[in-house]
Amino acid sequence: MASSGLEGRWEGQWLSDVNGHHGKLRCIVKKEGDIYPARFHAKYQKILSFGYTVALKAEPFENGFKFRGEANLGALAGGVYYYQGHADTTNFSSTYSCKYDHGTFQMQRK
């Protein structure tokens, strides 16, 4: 897996700006043509976990990439989530939002 650009393994935290919920977050980003499938695995209260993939569209930006994407996680999980952020060789930062929640992802390369 690449060690620069958007591709690679990432690990950090997610935080809801709505209710303060937070937890561990891991992600593996690959490149498939013009799309970067990002496989997220989030934990909540150390016992609940949830995995899903977001197709990110990325473009070069200030020594890294800026990206955006969306994924429908189903009605029980909040419906369609929208993602927007940037990553460089060491840090991945993104906002997320859906009908009922919004917050941030902060990760570092692993």
Side-chain angles (χ1 to χ4, degrees), residues 33-81:
D34 293 337
I35 300 295
Y36 291 82
R39 177 74 181 153
F40 291 99
H41 185 170
K43 286 210 171 201
Y44 174 62
Q45 293 189 348
K46 298 182 181 179
I47 55 170
L48 300 174
S49 64
F50 189 67
Y52 59 95
T53 301
V54 179
L56 298 175
K57 296 177 183 174
E59 61 186 68
F61 178 75
E62 295 182 6
N63 298 322
F65 288 88
K66 64 180 180 177
F67 57 83
R68 61 186 165 79
E70 63 182 64
N72 188 339
L73 304 186
L76 292 176
V80 178
Y81 279 69

Side-chain angles (χ1 to χ4, degrees), residues 1 6-8 12 19 21 29 41 52 67 86 89 96 100 105:
M1 185 116 3
L6 190 55
E7 296 172 90
N19 54 33
H21 292 168
V29 181
H41 185 170
Y52 59 95
F67 57 83
H86 61 276
T89 57
Y96 71 87
Y100 303 111
F105 291 170

